[in-house]
Amino acid sequence: WTLERLQYLVTRYQQQTSHDMTTQLIRMDFDNTLRNYHRYVIQDHLGAHYREQGITARDRTEFEHVIPIRVIREAVFTGRMSIQRALNVPTCDLRSSLHKQLGQTGYRDDTPCPFWFWRRYQDLGIKICTRDGQAVDVTTWNLETHYKHFDKFEIS
């Protein structure tokens, strides 16, 4: 259902002849559909792709889209990313205190580079590992590396 809905929204967006309220509603619908999918499938069932090393069960955490949803949406709408890839974009569990610090860097809803997505965390000085425990070198791990590692977990 999610894949069909997102495909429908992309088609509707591409058919729009003007940027009006309908266009904005299509964007919002896309964002909400994708976010709900990530919440249900990734956050609640598989777990975030990545996590800050050292998080314990007692730590308050935030489920973070490492590449903001609006950036993903625009990549899909312009044909730079497939919907299938959008369904499996990088997510990360961060301690709430670091998520707040991320907001102070100006990258809460933005990223300096979607391909080198860890750059938005560089000022936080955190160490990251995958959900299966593999340490991540944030200076070399990029979107291509993400999909090579996580396509084996691909969900549809």
Side-chain angles (χ1 to χ4, degrees):
W1 184 91
T2 299
L3 185 58
E4 288 176 14
R5 181 70 184 163
L6 293 175
Q7 288 170 334
Y8 167 78
L9 293 168
V10 169
T11 300
R12 284 296 309 270
Y13 181 82
Q14 292 169 345
Q15 291 171 348
Q16 282 297 107
T17 57
S18 65
H19 294 285
D20 58 11
M21 187 63 182
T22 302
T23 306
Q24 184 59 26
L25 291 171
I26 292 169
R27 286 184 178 123
M28 289 170 48
D29 194 350
F30 186 95
D31 292 359
N32 289 334
T33 300
L34 190 59
R35 192 177 310 278
N36 287 334
Y37 177 86
H38 290 159
R39 185 177 303 117
Y40 180 77
V41 174
I42 296 174
Q43 182 178 8
D44 292 348
H45 291 287
L46 296 173
H49 297 95
Y50 305 96
R51 69 177 182 275
E52 176 190 351
Q53 287 184 2
I55 287 179
T56 67
R58 293 185 308 211
D59 290 322
R60 291 190 55 155
T61 61
E62 301 285 336
F63 178 78
E64 157 86 0
H65 286 91
V66 183
I67 303 171
I69 289 286
R70 68 172 185 74
V71 175
I72 297 301
R73 176 205 343 118
E74 292 307 313
V76 171
F77 281 3
T78 58
R80 292 176 299 172
M81 178 181 282
S82 70
I83 293 172
Q84 197 65 27
R85 288 278 168 109
L87 293 172
N88 204 20
V89 293
T91 59
C92 186
D93 284 331
L94 288 179
R95 276 182 269 196
S96 296
S97 59
L98 281 175
H99 193 256
K100 183 177 180 180
Q101 286 179 349
L102 181 64
Q104 294 167 349
T105 67
Y107 291 130
R108 183 179 171 273
D109 297 318
D110 201 5
T111 185
C113 180
F115 185 76
W116 293 99
F117 56 89
W118 293 118
R119 288 183 183 169
R120 73 193 295 242
Y121 290 173
Q122 75 185 31
D123 292 339
L124 301 178
I126 61 174
K127 294 187 179 182
I128 300 291
C129 62
T130 62
R131 77 163 72 102
D132 56 344
Q134 180 179 336
V136 171
D137 179 350
V138 297
T139 63
T140 61
W141 194 285
N142 58 35
L143 197 55
E144 183 178 328
T145 314
H146 167 78
Y147 286 119
K148 281 181 184 174
H149 187 82
F150 285 102
D151 274 350
K152 61 187 170 193
F153 300 110
E154 189 160 357
I155 39 191
S156 58

